[in-house]
Structures are given as structure tokens and as C-alpha cells.
Amino acid sequence: MRDSLPETLPSGPRAAAWLRPLWLAAGAACLLLGVAGLVLPLLPGVPFLLLAAFCFSRGSPRWEAWLVAHPKLGPVVLDWRRHRVIPRRAKLLAWTMMALGCALAAWRAPWWAASLAALTCLCVALWMARQAEHAPTP
């Protein structure tokens, strides 16, 4: 099954057989968080999708192939793997949702929870800002 993946995907080290279910479960959890993060404020989706792809590469070539072949989710993962690129649209969507989530947390959550959410979102936003938006031109 690994041979059916595109050549541009790196072949990561495979986990021991007893670890594969754990990698698969972690990948599934990250995938759910990533998809939820695409529509929920305060939860960044792209980092969780990238983490899901990483976990699936260790635990399940079939799930990894499904994720990178997905018409909506796959291009973000492939851009990251090939060029370490996060598209501007994904960044803007993530920043907007995190800002809305932080505003909601500041309004409804205790000060310590709102502060923790804001600090976490700030760290993620700064990390995303440092990532390239376009693949390098040859």
C-alpha cells in the first residue's frame, strides 16, 4: 500500500506493530480536531491536520493516503510536506477564527482561561506568520 503513495511524500519511519494502533488513534483524534478547527473559533485546524498526517504516516499508510488525496484537506498537507508552505487563505482563516475565539473567551471565560487561550493562540499565530505562503520559484 505504501507504494501507491505519490513519490513526493517522504517515507517516514514505520512504528513497531504494537505502536501502530496508538499512532492511528492519535491521527484520528488530530484529524477530528483539525476538521473541527476549520469551523470552530479558537481551535486552529491546519496544525492539527499536519499532525494527523504525521501520525498516519507512522500508523496507517491507508489513512495517510486518504488524507493527502482528500480534495479539500490534502493540498494543505502536501504543500507543507513539499515546501513547508501554509497558504495565505488558510492563515487568514485560522487567525480570524482564533481572534473570534479569543474575543469570546475574554467575554465569557474566567480571566485565567481567557489569558491561556490568548497566549496559546498568539503562539500559534506567530508560528504560522513565520511560515512561507507560496512555494519557492525555481
Side-chain angles (χ1 to χ4, degrees), residues 5-71:
L5 292 176
E7 288 182 31
T8 57
L9 294 179
S11 294
R14 291 294 309 243
W18 67 274
L19 282 175
R20 288 187 189 144
L22 298 175
W23 281 114
L24 183 60
C30 290
L31 179 62
L32 290 174
L33 288 170
V35 170
L38 297 177
V39 295
L40 293 176
L42 197 65
L43 187 63
V46 173
F48 283 112
L49 289 177
L50 299 177
L51 189 55
F54 174 79
C55 293
F56 286 148
S57 74
R58 299 314 191 258
S60 173
R62 184 174 60 163
W63 276 93
E64 178 189 21
W66 173 84
L67 181 58
V68 298
H70 192 277

Side-chain angles (χ1 to χ4, degrees), residues 59-117:
S60 173
R62 184 174 60 163
W63 276 93
E64 178 189 21
W66 173 84
L67 181 58
V68 298
H70 192 277
K72 297 286 186 191
L73 307 176
V76 174
V77 174
L78 289 175
D79 283 345
W80 176 256
R81 285 184 171 178
R82 290 178 183 150
H83 308 289
R84 297 292 190 244
V85 169
I86 299 176
R88 177 174 287 189
R89 182 172 179 207
K91 287 182 180 184
L92 292 175
L93 180 62
W95 292 334
T96 301
M97 297 304 273
M98 287 188 291
L100 288 173
C102 287
L104 181 64
W107 178 51
R108 299 294 292 170
W111 69 268
W112 60 268
S115 299
L116 182 62

